[in-house]
Amino acid sequence: VYRFWPREATAAPTALLLTPADREAQTRGGTWSQIFNPNDFANRAPVLVWLALIEFLGWLAFPIAFVALRALADRGYIFAKAIGILLPAWGAWTLASYHILPFSRTSIAVVIAFIAIVSVLATWWRGRELVAVLRARWKIVLVEEIAFLVFFGAFLLIRYGNPDLWHQWFGGEKPMDFAHLNAVIKSTWFPPYDPWFAGGYLNYYYFGQVINATLIKFSGIVPEVAYNLALPMYFGLTAMGAFSIVWNL
């Protein structure tokens, strides 16, 4: 235990403070108005853009899932959505954590391009089999797509009914959750800055927010809206993960 007077706090030895160089770098991530444009198409049709991005990443990752999850009867079709969401976040997080590329739309696009190359190679390797499986099992693919949209839509209606990030009676952790998300979105390097502790970095498990932040930053949808789209997305992915496991068994 290190004991000190409040006036001595600035001299307290701690590993939780950003270095001057890191603190300066974190301010180069851009202002909110530079990162997001509330008047662009993504923010005029956020639900459509969000779903289009999920579908795009899912189809992009499907050849990878097709090879990796070949023991499943649906060849991992619905799990490809989760894989397509996870891989760009993990790649962008890795690049920013090792200070190779800052966390930005450019770094996310680089990772997505790499995933596309891997998917093209997987398609070249198993393309005929992939087409044959889709032709033979298009009905289950259609059912999974429709069911995902149903579950997504059901929870989206709940968020429409109460989009506030603060529970009416219990308060809850949503303000902290949203603050951490915003800090991750706006950070240049990882770990992100701490939104509660000025001049410090976030000493908390935050990778789940990187997944959200990657989709939000790449889509350009403002965080207060995208937060209420991420929750239905996870509800849909969870429901369809359970569906796929049971159906494949």
Side-chain angles (χ1 to χ4, degrees), residues 1 29 32 38 40 54 89 100 108 113 121 125 130 133 168 173 175-176 193 204 215 224 227 229 234:
V1 178
W32 287 113
D40 63 9
I54 294 173
I100 299 172
I108 298 168
L121 293 175
W125 182 31
L130 188 150
V133 169
Q168 298 97 317
E173 290 191 356
M176 182 191 76
Y193 69 86
Y204 200 73
L215 294 175
E224 63 268 26
Y227 187 98
L229 296 173
Y234 287 123

Side-chain angles (χ1 to χ4, degrees), residues 76-96:
Y77 177 81
I78 203 65
F79 284 121
K81 291 188 189 299
I83 295 171
I85 292 166
L86 176 63
L87 289 182
W90 181 80
W93 172 77
T94 301
L95 292 174

Side-chain angles (χ1 to χ4, degrees), residues 27-190:
T27 65
R28 294 200 301 263
T31 63
W32 287 113
S33 60
Q34 290 172 332
I35 300 173
F36 298 100
N37 178 6
N39 299 314
D40 63 9
F41 178 75
N43 288 293
R44 292 198 304 271
V47 177
L48 178 63
V49 171
W50 189 266
L51 284 174
L53 180 58
I54 294 173
E55 287 296 321
F56 168 72
L57 294 175
W59 275 100
L60 196 64
F62 178 53
I64 299 174
F66 185 84
V67 174
L69 303 177
R70 56 186 175 275
L72 300 182
D74 65 354
R75 301 303 287 264
Y77 177 81
I78 203 65
F79 284 121
K81 291 188 189 299
I83 295 171
I85 292 166
L86 176 63
L87 289 182
W90 181 80
W93 172 77
T94 301
L95 292 174
S97 295
Y98 284 100
H99 286 218
I100 299 172
L101 285 176
F103 184 55
S104 64
R105 288 192 180 97
T106 300
S107 65
I108 298 168
V110 167
V111 176
I112 291 175
F114 179 77
I115 295 170
I117 292 172
V118 175
S119 290
V120 168
L121 293 175
T123 303
W124 174 76
W125 182 31
R126 295 289 184 88
R128 291 183 179 178
E129 185 183 357
L130 188 150
V131 172
V133 169
L134 287 177
R135 285 177 175 173
R137 296 174 184 164
W138 64 269
K139 290 182 180 179
I140 188 61
V141 169
L142 183 61
V143 167
E144 289 179 335
E145 283 288 359
I146 293 174
F148 173 77
L149 291 175
V150 168
F151 283 112
F152 177 90
F155 206 85
L156 184 63
L157 289 177
I158 294 175
R159 298 311 303 165
Y160 265 121
N162 179 26
D164 198 354
L165 300 182
W166 179 259
H167 194 278
Q168 298 97 317
W169 302 286
F170 300 112
E173 290 191 356
K174 287 294 188 294
M176 182 191 76
D177 199 35
F178 193 52
H180 286 179
L181 173 61
N182 284 329
V184 172
I185 290 172
K186 207 165 182 291
S187 290
T188 305
W189 307 111
F190 294 135

